[in-house]
Amino acid sequence: MTAVSDLADFQALDPFFRIIEEGVAGLVDGEHFFDLLAEDVVFEYVITVPGYPRRVEGRQAVAELYRPYGATFSLDRCYDLAVHHDQVTGVVVLEYASQGRAIPTGAAYSNRYISVLSIVDRKIAHWRDYLDPLAVFDAIGWPAAATGNA
């Protein structure tokens, strides 16, 4: 049982959770995505979108960041998983893609990701995430500053 409450709040992210669980199977302990994370995990969003934090610390803080995800996006599937694991350093690189829709616009949404995970004591201790911000803007709309519209 995960320490994060109200898992139904995260239904829009289920395909993401499943592909990550698949990517680290046998390398980390835990049943649900949040169980795979160390209590003091650090997430860094290296390539992201304006208004999204660059760094989040702690399993509960990650959960709270992801909790409202379903108000913006709903994922139908995640696929094209490639796993690169350095057994000496414990670093795992996951490459994957997603498809779904943007809730505010109804537009199709697809993206590609690279997640670089450091595993310590069979838990994800550090996560660096990269995504295509243009795909996000295409689905939910471009920020006014980026388009020159004020």
Side-chain angles (χ1 to χ4, degrees):
M1 184 99 178
T2 185
V4 174
S5 64
D6 300 321
L7 290 178
D9 293 351
F10 303 95
Q11 185 174 357
L13 279 167
D14 276 348
F16 164 73
F17 293 153
R18 300 299 86 81
I19 204 157
I20 300 304
E21 292 161 2
E22 179 184 341
V24 298
L27 302 175
V28 298
D29 294 329
E31 294 296 316
H32 187 275
F33 171 80
F34 292 118
D35 297 328
L36 308 177
L37 307 178
E39 187 67 36
D40 60 350
V41 67
V42 173
F43 271 57
E44 292 182 288
Y45 301 95
V46 179
I47 299 177
T48 187
V49 297
Y52 209 75
R54 291 283 182 183
R55 182 180 172 95
V56 176
E57 297 183 27
R59 178 191 306 142
Q60 197 62 46
V62 170
E64 294 313 310
L65 177 66
Y66 287 176
R67 192 176 299 278
Y69 186 88
T72 306
F73 291 107
S74 181
L75 299 179
D76 297 323
R77 71 183 189 127
C78 287
Y79 60 99
D80 279 353
L81 176 65
V83 179
H84 313 280
H85 178 215
D86 183 327
Q87 295 180 0
V88 173
T89 65
V91 171
V92 177
V93 176
L94 303 177
E95 299 178 61
Y96 50 101
S98 69
Q99 282 184 323
R101 63 185 166 84
I103 301 305
T105 64
Y109 172 67
S110 62
N111 212 326
R112 297 202 62 82
Y113 313 86
I114 295 176
S115 299
V116 181
L117 317 177
S118 296
I119 297 174
V120 177
D121 297 329
R122 298 195 54 83
K123 292 290 183 187
I124 298 169
H126 190 262
W127 181 300
R128 279 190 326 269
D129 203 62
Y130 303 80
L131 62 75
D132 178 1
L134 302 181
V136 174
F137 299 147
D138 284 345
I140 63 171
W142 284 75
T147 62
N149 300 329

